[in-house]
C-alpha cells in the first residue's frame, strides 16, 4: 500500500514539473514574439525621427497614397465684337481711336471712310486687333469717344482644338523622326524612294498643322473689334424694302430678262445639233419619192440579172 502511494505521489510531482516547464517556454516565446516587433517599431520610429518628420514622396501624412495633381489647362478663347459710336467730329475721333488701340498694343487691320460733298469724313469703319486681355478696356475707352449706339460681342472656346492640334503636331514630329531613321537604314533605291515619298507627305501634314496652330494662336491672342464712327443723327439704319408699281414693274422686267437669257442659252447649246440634223435630214426628205419608186431589176432564168 505504501508502494502504491509512493508511486502516485511521484507521478504527481513529475506532472507538476512538466507543466511548469511548458508554462515557462510559452512565456518566453510570448515575450520574444512581443519584444521583436516592438524593437522593429522603435527602430522605424527612430528612422522617421532622424528624417525630421518628412513623409515619403507619393504618400500623404497618414501613409495613404497621395493623389497626383491634375495639370492645369489654360482656356483658349476667341473674342469678336462690333461697336457703333456717334461723334461730332468723326475724323478727330477716328484719330483718337487709333491712338487708343496703339496704346493697348493693338493695330488697325483695315479702315474704310465715307465723306460728304464737301470732303468731310462723315463715317469711318475700323477693324481693330487688340490683345484679348485688353479687349474689355478697349471697348470701354472707345465707347467714351462719343455716344454708344450699338454693341455686339461674341466669344468661342477653342481649347479642345488647340490641345488636339498640339497633340497631333507632337505625334507627327515623332513619326518624322522614325521615317528619317528608316531612310538612313534603307539599302535599295526602291526603299529610298518609298521612304522619301512618305517623309515628304508627313512633312506637308506637319506644316499644315503648324499653320493651323499659328492661326489659332493669333485668333486667341488678338481679339477682333469692328468700330463704326458716324455723325450724330446719321447712324446707319436698316432700310425698308421698296414697294409700289414701279418696283413691281422693275421686278417683272428683271424676271423677263432672266427668262430670255435662260432660253437663249438653251438655244445656243442645241443649235449645233439642229444644223447637223438639217444637213442630213433635208436631202433625205427631198429624195424620199425616188427611193420609194425605184423598180426592181428583172432576173434571168439562171438566177442572174
Amino acid at each position: 500500500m505504501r508502494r502504491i502511494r509512493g508511486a502516485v505521489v511521484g507521478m504527481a510531482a513529475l506532472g507538476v514539473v512538466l507543466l511548469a516547464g511548458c508554462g515557462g517556454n510559452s512565456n518566453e516565446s510570448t515575450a520574444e514574439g512581443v519584444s521583436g516587433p516592438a524593437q522593429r517599431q522603435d527602430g522605424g520610429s527612430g528612422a522617421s525621427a532622424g528624417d525630421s518628420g518628412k513623409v515619403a514622396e507619393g504618400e500623404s501624412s497618414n501613409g495613404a497614397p497621395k493623389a497626383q495633381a491634375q495639370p492645369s489647362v489654360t482656356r483658349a478663347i476667341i473674342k469678336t465684337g462690333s461697336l457703333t459710336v456717334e461723334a461730332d467730329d468723326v475724323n478727330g475721333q477716328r484719330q483718337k481711336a487709333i491712338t487708343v488701340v496703339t496704346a493697348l498694343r493693338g493695330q488697325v487691320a483695315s479702315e474704310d471712310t465715307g465723306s460728304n460733298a464737301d470732303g468731310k469724313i462723315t463715317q469711318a469703319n475700323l477693324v481693330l486687333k487688340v490683345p484679348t486681355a485688353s479687349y474689355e478696356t478697349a471697348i470701354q475707352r472707345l465707347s467714351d469717344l462719343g455716344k454708344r449706339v450699338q454693341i455686339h460681342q461674341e466669344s468661342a472656346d477653342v481649347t479642345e482644338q488647340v490641345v488636339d492640334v498640339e497633340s497631333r503636331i507632337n505625334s507627327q514630329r515623332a513619326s518624322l523622326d522614325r521615317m528619317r531613321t528608316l531612310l538612313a537604314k534603307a539599302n535599295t533605291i526602291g526603299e529610298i524612294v518609298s521612304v522619301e515619298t512618305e517623309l515628304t507627305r508627313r512633312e506637308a501634314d506637319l506644316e499644315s498643322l503648324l499653320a493651323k496652330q499659328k492661326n489659332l494662336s493669333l485668333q486667341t491672342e488678338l481679339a477682333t473689334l469692328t468700330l463704326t464712327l458716324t455723325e450724330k443723327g446719321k447712324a446707319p439704319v436698316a432700310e425698308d424694302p421698296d414697294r409700289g408699281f414701279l418696283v413691281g414693274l422693275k421686278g417683272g422686267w428683271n424676271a423677263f430678262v432672266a427668262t430670255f437669257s435662260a432660253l437663249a442659252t438653251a438655244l445656243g447649246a442645241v443649235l449645233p445639233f439642229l444644223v447637223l440634223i438639217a444637213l442630213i435630214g433635208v436631202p433625205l426628205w427631198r429624195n424620199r419619192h425616188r427611193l420609194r419608186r425605184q423598180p426592181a431589176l428583172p432576173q434571168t432564168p439562171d438566177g442572174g440579172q
Side-chain angles (χ1 to χ4, degrees):
M1 189 71 180
R2 291 179 180 177
R3 294 179 179 176
I4 296 174
R5 290 179 179 177
V8 172
V9 173
M11 293 177 63
L14 180 60
V16 172
V17 173
L18 293 175
L19 290 175
C22 293
N25 294 334
S26 62
N27 292 334
E28 291 177 358
S29 62
T30 304
E32 291 177 357
V34 173
S35 61
Q39 291 176 358
R40 288 192 294 270
Q41 291 176 0
D42 293 340
S45 61
S48 61
D51 293 339
S52 302
K54 293 182 180 179
V55 181
E57 184 178 0
E59 294 184 357
S60 60
S61 58
N62 57 1
K66 185 178 180 180
Q68 296 181 356
Q70 296 294 332
S72 59
V73 178
T74 303
R75 309 304 299 180
I77 307 296
I78 297 177
K79 290 187 176 182
T80 57
S82 61
L83 178 66
T84 302
V85 177
E86 287 184 347
D88 294 330
D89 184 8
V90 174
N91 188 33
Q93 299 303 88
R94 180 184 68 86
Q95 295 292 341
K96 290 183 179 180
I98 296 175
T99 303
V100 168
V101 173
T102 304
L104 294 175
R105 298 176 181 254
Q107 59 184 352
V108 179
S110 64
E111 179 179 0
D112 183 19
T113 58
S115 305
N116 57 11
D118 299 332
K120 180 183 177 181
I121 297 178
T122 58
Q123 182 173 343
N125 298 320
L126 304 174
V127 178
L128 309 173
K129 296 287 187 178
V130 295
T132 303
S134 305
Y135 177 73
E136 301 296 337
T137 304
I139 291 180
Q140 181 179 359
R141 294 183 181 180
L142 294 174
S143 299
D144 295 338
L145 297 177
K147 179 183 177 182
R148 188 169 71 183
V149 178
Q150 178 267 345
I151 184 172
H152 177 73
Q153 302 182 61
E154 292 182 358
S155 61
D157 190 343
V158 292
T159 305
E160 293 185 1
Q161 298 182 28
V162 172
V163 174
D164 178 66
V165 170
E166 184 177 359
S167 176
R168 291 169 62 186
I169 287 175
N170 294 333
S171 300
Q172 198 69 15
R173 284 174 174 168
S175 176
L176 286 174
D177 292 339
R178 291 192 297 268
M179 294 304 298
R180 292 189 181 100
T181 303
L182 291 176
L183 181 60
K185 295 180 179 179
N187 297 323
T188 64
I189 296 178
E191 292 177 353
I192 294 175
V193 172
S194 177
V195 175
E196 285 184 346
T197 302
E198 185 66 19
L199 185 62
T200 302
R201 185 186 66 81
R202 298 191 183 188
E203 287 178 346
D205 293 342
L206 178 60
E207 291 178 358
S208 176
L209 290 173
L210 290 174
K212 186 176 182 179
Q213 185 186 47
K214 183 178 180 180
N215 186 30
L216 287 173
S217 178
L218 291 176
Q219 290 181 350
T220 54
E221 292 177 359
L222 295 177
T224 303
L225 179 61
T226 302
L227 174 64
T228 302
L229 294 171
T230 61
E231 288 185 336
K232 286 187 176 181
K234 295 183 180 180
V237 295
E239 298 181 355
D240 295 333
D242 297 334
R243 298 178 181 177
F245 173 76
L246 295 178
V247 176
L249 181 61
K250 182 179 179 180
W253 174 255
N254 292 334
F256 172 75
V257 171
T259 305
F260 180 77
S261 299
L263 292 176
T265 302
L267 180 61
V270 176
L271 186 58
F273 298 95
L274 295 178
V275 173
L276 179 62
I277 294 174
L279 293 176
I280 298 176
V282 171
L284 293 177
W285 182 80
R286 289 182 176 180
N287 298 324
R288 66 184 184 281
H289 299 290
R290 295 180 181 179
L291 295 175
R292 292 179 179 177
R293 296 177 180 179
Q294 185 176 2
L297 297 176
Q299 296 181 354
T300 57
D302 57 355
Q305 294 182 356

